[in-house]
Amino acid sequence: MAVYRFAYIAVLVAAVVFSQAYAGHLSSVILITVIVLPIVSLALTFMAKTSFTISFDTSAETIEKNKTLRVRIFIKNNFMFPSSSTYISASMPGLSEKKDARLIFSLSPFQMKNLNLTYTAEYRGEYDISFDTVCFYDYFKIFKLKKKLDLHKKITVTPRIIDVASDNGFFAVSDEENENRAINSSKGERSFTRKYAEGDDIRNIHWKLSSKQEDYMVWQNAENLSSQSVIVCDMTAFGATEKDRAVYTDAVLESALAVALYNLKNDCNSLISFYDFKSQKTENIPIEHLSHLYNAASVSATVNSYDGEPSFYTECKKHFTDNKSVKGSAVLITHHGDRELVKLAEELAVFSDVLILIAGETEKGVSRYIKGLRNVTVAELDPWNVAQELPAAVGKIYSA
């Protein structure tokens, strides 16, 4: 806009010089025209500013992480003159700072326009989409008028529900087998397939599926599965930056949801447990149906990591060592393998099978020691690459 202002000043100076050098009717008309036109343009722009109506809507108020959110802006020019260049400043949700977007457009008299934006959330949480101001430039782009919009809308980004069964590297079930699984499991018959492991009976090999997968797949009996899993999530803070904390926390929660979905597909109920520091209470969400899983994802969307008590050790004791009536396997999902995790695994292994997913870092020697414990199975995955590594990790803890 500065270029247009300098250009106007140059034209104005030239008009003044011309009127002084060649005093007459024509030079006076030119000078008056150069002075008056911007004022008229400013007046029209002011009227356009008061006659514009702007609103917006989103394709959803709750979306899953990494899914695209569509934002539609509705703009109407209720003025009898066309608008000049108009700018809308929008703020899109970000983890540590907002991402600004600028929309540039012009409208004919009484025209309505729809503008579309798309946004993909990288981390779960609750964010605010806002349209703060709209700027109107006059026809000569000399003046700029601002209009406050203050249009806001909150969106909730849930953690992903990753279906490890859809990954060819670990767990594959055809549609027909998936439909019959509940019937088979109720009779105590073979209910799903997994990769062949050393020691499996070759009579349980699913030859037809093995030919499709290019790997040996064997039937797994439903009677060998636990009837219940208590999945405890470590929500204590870990990571040097806010982004690191978000990655580790998301990895823990997404791993919990993936394990619960895996259990659902194998007729096993789950209980997802995590401490909500904001409400100062432990959330215990039973997962007995797919709708319960979506509810758990929604509840966990806005839970943040925290420093201090209760520790992960304390939370696990609530379900197991302090409550010996709990039956089924203990699934511990944490972002840090340390000496306290070793102690916890030793205590819990007395009451139930312990399955541990470490979505993060493991201290030297800890992983090897835990793997040597009886009734304890451990798998590790990279929190920055959860979707790709979860199938193998879940497969490891359930097929050991």
Side-chain angles (χ1 to χ4, degrees), residues 93-94 123-128 154-157 278 301-304:
Y123 307 98
R124 62 174 188 88
E126 190 174 56
Y127 300 103
D128 184 54
K154 286 193 177 294
I155 61 166
T156 302
V157 180
K278 186 184 296 183
T302 55
V303 177
N304 297 321

Side-chain angles (χ1 to χ4, degrees), residues 156-386:
T156 302
V157 180
T158 66
R160 295 170 295 179
I161 301 177
I162 300 169
D163 185 1
V164 297
S166 65
D167 192 287
N168 291 334
F170 159 58
F171 176 56
V173 178
S174 68
D175 292 337
E176 183 179 355
E177 290 161 356
N178 197 41
E179 291 172 3
N180 294 330
R181 187 187 301 120
I183 299 174
N184 292 334
S185 63
S186 65
K187 297 178 181 178
E189 299 174 356
R190 25 189 213 185
S191 58
F192 75 100
T193 54
R194 58 170 172 79
K195 270 190 175 184
Y196 177 84
E198 186 177 353
D200 285 333
D201 192 334
I202 60 172
R203 290 174 296 181
N204 290 331
I205 294 178
H206 189 313
W207 295 106
K208 183 177 179 180
L209 187 59
S210 297
S211 63
K212 293 179 181 179
Q213 298 298 320
E214 297 183 355
D215 204 344
Y216 288 117
M217 307 296 293
V218 296
W219 286 106
Q220 171 73 52
N221 293 334
E223 60 188 11
N224 293 334
L225 297 173
S226 300
S227 60
Q228 182 187 23
S229 289
V230 179
I231 306 168
V232 187
C233 303
D234 187 356
M235 297 301 294
T236 56
F238 188 77
T241 65
E242 187 178 1
K243 183 177 180 180
D244 289 338
R245 287 191 175 196
V247 169
Y248 285 115
T249 305
D250 283 11
V252 168
L253 291 171
E254 289 177 349
S255 298
L257 294 171
V259 170
L261 178 59
Y262 173 84
N263 287 338
L264 269 182
K265 290 193 169 188
N266 296 290
D267 308 303
C268 174
N269 295 333
S270 301
L271 179 76
I272 294 181
S273 177
F274 52 82
Y275 184 74
D276 186 349
F277 192 73
K278 186 184 296 183
S279 63
Q280 299 285 301
K281 69 176 184 178
T282 300
E283 296 284 353
N284 295 308
I285 308 174
I287 309 296
E288 300 174 357
H289 190 270
L290 198 57
S291 62
H292 300 159
L293 194 66
Y294 289 121
N295 177 58
S298 179
V299 172
S300 64
T302 55
V303 177
N304 297 321
S305 59
Y306 63 92
D307 294 301
E309 289 292 331
S311 66
F312 184 51
Y313 179 88
T314 304
E315 283 298 288
C316 289
K317 284 191 66 177
K318 289 180 183 178
H319 291 288
F320 300 100
T321 57
D322 291 346
N323 184 7
K324 300 178 177 59
S325 63
V326 173
K327 298 185 183 302
S329 58
V331 183
L332 313 183
I333 303 182
T334 183
H335 41 60
H336 187 51
D338 55 10
R339 299 295 173 182
E340 187 177 81
L341 184 63
V342 173
K343 179 183 177 183
L344 182 61
E346 288 177 323
E347 291 185 15
L348 299 189
V350 176
F351 306 105
S352 64
D353 293 331
V354 181
L355 313 179
I356 301 176
L357 269 177
I358 303 176
E361 300 178 7
T362 307
E363 292 181 5
K364 187 176 180 181
V366 168
S367 179
R368 184 190 307 171
Y369 187 85
I370 296 180
K371 291 175 183 177
L373 296 176
R374 187 178 180 182
N375 297 332
V376 177
T377 308
V378 183
E380 300 171 51
L381 60 92
D382 180 5
W384 300 86
N385 197 24
V386 173

